[in-house]
Amino acid sequence: MNAISQVRSGPTRPQAPRRPQNAGNARQNYERYLVRAREAQLSGDVIEMENCYQHAEHYLRVMRGEGNDRRDQL
């Protein structure tokens, strides 16, 4: 066995999960996070509810075209 084959046969790094190509547009993500927030609220998970509402708010800003405003102010 030579040095090259030893390097290739070593342990592999775990790869990070990839985002699906069809993850949806901003409106679909906005609606999805609203649904998830309401489900979390019904189950009593206040932290998950707030997290989902924050994500929904992000996608609302993206839909309004306000996503790049902060970069312009820096």
Side-chain angles (χ1 to χ4, degrees):
M1 221 190 227
N2 60 27
I4 294 174
S5 63
Q6 288 176 348
V7 171
R8 289 184 185 166
S9 65
T12 60
R13 293 182 185 172
Q15 293 185 1
R18 294 185 146 201
R19 183 175 167 210
Q21 293 294 332
N22 58 353
N25 60 25
R27 177 170 295 284
Q28 290 170 332
N29 287 327
Y30 171 74
E31 293 171 359
R32 178 174 41 144
Y33 278 110
L34 283 180
V35 168
R36 289 179 64 184
R38 290 181 188 128
E39 289 173 351
Q41 183 180 17
L42 291 174
S43 70
D45 190 347
V46 178
I47 295 172
E48 179 66 16
M49 176 193 71
E50 184 64 29
N51 181 33
C52 291
Y53 276 133
Q54 289 177 1
H55 279 81
E57 182 183 12
H58 163 74
Y59 285 109
L60 180 64
R61 287 192 307 266
V62 169
M63 287 188 300
R64 289 181 177 169
E66 300 171 3
N68 296 326
D69 288 351
R70 281 206 270 170
R71 289 187 196 141
D72 296 339
Q73 293 173 357
L74 294 177

